[in-house]
Amino acid sequence: MKFKEWVILLGLVAIAIITSNLIGYDIPVFDSFNGVLILCGIALIAVLLSKVIPLKLPIILYCSLLGLLFAAPMSPVADVVTEATGKIEFKAPLTVVGALAGISIGASFHQFRKQGWKMIVIALVVMTSTYLGSVMISQFVLKLTNAI
């Protein structure tokens, strides 16, 4: 995708996140605007890095590393980043990402059907085992920390 397309896409996602934050969690637009702007800025920098750095790494890796660097306690902008993004309800971007993933799956469903019924079984096993693994780790950590 071209950089212009990324800007347009992130603009639409930003509007969707702000809207879902407003409707679902009663957080005013102005409160979530700065956090969404920071998140979109990090995503755009990640896109630029993926185009400049010759390694063929996923953009999400660059995005995650940048987010960690900007929010790390040693970062001069950590307080601003954590305060602004802290006003965004986590489930608001998750809703938007889930909707986009659903659209993406719907667009490639015909190709998925060609894979056959075995792919459905494999997908169910992978999702179930990932969920159960997360549950077991969470249970262990919660008991270890005496949270439950």
Side-chain angles (χ1 to χ4, degrees):
M1 267 183 7
K2 296 179 183 175
F3 187 73
K4 182 180 178 182
E5 293 169 339
W6 277 105
V7 171
I8 292 169
L9 181 65
L10 283 172
L12 294 172
V13 169
I15 291 169
I17 291 172
I18 290 172
T19 304
S20 63
N21 225 12
L22 174 68
I23 294 171
Y25 305 101
D26 294 325
I27 298 173
V29 171
F30 185 74
D31 288 350
S32 49
F33 182 76
N34 290 334
V36 171
L37 195 62
I38 289 172
L39 291 177
C40 288
I42 290 172
L44 283 176
I45 294 170
V47 169
L48 288 174
L49 285 176
S50 73
K51 293 184 184 295
V52 173
I53 297 176
L55 297 172
K56 294 294 179 195
L57 298 173
I59 294 174
I60 190 73
L61 179 68
Y62 292 112
C63 203
S64 299
L65 290 174
L66 284 171
L68 286 171
L69 287 174
F70 285 136
M74 65 199 158
S75 171
V77 295
D79 293 335
V80 175
V81 169
T82 53
E83 182 182 336
T85 56
K87 294 178 182 173
I88 300 171
E89 187 65 36
F90 174 71
K91 291 173 271 187
L94 190 62
T95 304
V96 175
V97 170
L100 292 174
I103 291 169
S104 174
I105 289 171
S108 61
F109 185 71
H110 182 66
Q111 292 175 343
F112 182 71
R113 273 190 11 193
K114 288 181 182 178
Q115 300 289 326
W117 63 271
K118 294 176 185 176
M119 281 303 282
I120 294 172
V121 173
I122 291 170
L124 289 173
V125 168
V126 168
M127 287 186 271
T128 304
S129 56
T130 301
Y131 174 75
L132 291 175
S134 299
V135 167
M136 289 189 294
I137 292 169
S138 299
Q139 183 73 18
F140 174 74
V141 171
L142 290 171
K143 282 193 180 231
L144 188 69
T145 59
N146 292 324
I148 56 170

